[in-house]
Amino acid sequence: MTEQSFPLPDVGEGLTEAEIVNWLVQPGDTVELNQVVCEIETAKSLVELPSPFSGVVTALLAELGQTVPVGEPIMRIRTAADAGEPSGDSETDAAVAAA
């Protein structure tokens, strides 16, 4: 198992920050690659962010209403480094296996 940080991506047009408007996942949730995990608001629009990884959400690193600079981690996801590699945590292993 590997834990990946998901930094706030550059959504274009020279924007340097965005506000977290809505989390669509919580720690412990299993996410798929490209599943929308949160909504952010920039100076120009509301944007849905897809997950760059599949796995289990381990932490949300930004609060609702918080303005986050581009590149700052907003979420951590535990991914399977090797699909057959158990983490030792039966709940996490079951969640990752179900993903």
Side-chain angles (χ1 to χ4, degrees), residues 21 23 44 55 61 63 67-68 84 94 99:
V21 174
W23 281 110
K44 300 188 180 213
L61 305 175
E63 303 281 328
T67 299
V68 180

Side-chain angles (χ1 to χ4, degrees), residues 21-89:
V21 174
N22 189 27
W23 281 110
L24 303 173
V25 296
Q26 294 298 315
D29 289 353
T30 299
V31 295
E32 298 294 326
L33 179 66
N34 294 323
Q35 175 182 335
V36 175
V37 294
C38 76
E39 296 172 325
I40 61 170
E41 186 171 14
T42 69
K44 300 188 180 213
S45 65
L46 186 68
V47 178
E48 294 181 332
L49 292 183
S51 175
F53 312 106
S54 60
V56 177
V57 176
T58 59
L60 302 179
L61 305 175
E63 303 281 328
L64 290 179
Q66 180 179 348
T67 299
V68 180
V70 168
E72 183 172 308
I74 58 171
M75 181 171 68
R76 285 197 298 259
I77 301 172
R78 184 174 298 134
T79 62
D82 174 3
E85 177 184 320
S87 70
D89 179 294

